Amino acid sequence: MEQLELLRRQCEGCQRCPLGESRTNLVFGDGNPKAEIMLIGEGPGEQEDLTGIPFVGPAGKLLDQMLEIIDLDREKYYIANIVKCRPPRNRDPQAAEQDACIGYLREQTRLIQPKIIVCLGRIAAMRLIRNDYRITREHGQWVKKGNIWMTAIYHPSALLRDESKRPETFDDLLSIRDKIREVCG
Ligand code: URA
C-alpha cells in the first residue's frame, strides 16, 4: 500500500490526545500528494469534522476563491492542518494537542517533499516557522528551512472577520505565485 495511505490509516486509530475522542472524522489531508506546494492550516472546523476534508467550510470557500486568483486548485497543492481532529468549539489547538499530532504532519511532509509550504494563519506559522512569529508583521515574508521555502498568510477565517486585511493578502498571493514560478517545475 502507498505510504501516505498507510499513514492515514495509522492516524485513523489515533488516540494520542483527547481530540481523538471527540472527533467525528479524522481530517488527514486533501489535494495532490505529488504537488510541490503544501498549505497548512491550524485544525479542522465543524464542516471539516463532518466531512473529513480540510477547508470545506466558509473559510475554505474563501481560500479556494483566493487561490483561484493565482490559478491554484487542489490538483496543484496538498492541504492539511497542524492537528487532524477538531478542537471543541473551534478553539485554538493546545500545545499538547499540537505536540501529539505534529509527528504525523512531519511524516506527511517527508513523503510529499514540497518545495514550498504556505502556513495559513498564526498557529501554523508559530509551529512551523518560528514560535514567536508575528503574523501581522511578517506575513508574506519568505524563509528557507532546509530545502523548503516557507511563508505565512492570514488565515482565511481572519479575512472573513476583517476584510481590511484582504489587500495585503492579495500581495502575498502574488508573491506566492512568483515563488512558484521561481522554484517549482
Ligand atoms: N480552519 C483550519 O485551520 N483548517 C481547516 O481545515 C478548516 C478551517
Side-chain angles (χ1 to χ4, degrees), residues 4 7 11 27-30 38 40 78-81 84 103-114:
L4 201 60
L7 182 64
C11 288
V27 181
F28 181 72
D30 190 36
M38 266 177 98
I40 310 293
Y78 188 88
I79 188 162
N81 283 300
K84 300 196 180 321
Y104 294 132
L105 182 63
R106 294 208 188 288
E107 184 61 8
Q108 253 171 324
T109 307
R110 195 185 66 78
L111 294 171
I112 292 167
Q113 293 192 299

Side-chain angles (χ1 to χ4, degrees), residues 1-12 28:
M1 190 192 296
E2 199 207 327
Q3 278 183 308
L4 201 60
E5 187 51 31
L6 271 175
L7 182 64
R8 176 200 289 274
R9 296 207 175 175
Q10 208 184 321
C11 288
E12 261 159 13
F28 181 72

Side-chain angles (χ1 to χ4, degrees), residues 54-68:
F55 284 96
V56 290
K61 294 208 165 67
L62 178 61
L63 181 67
D64 288 348
Q65 288 167 10
M66 284 160 45
L67 294 174
E68 212 174 290

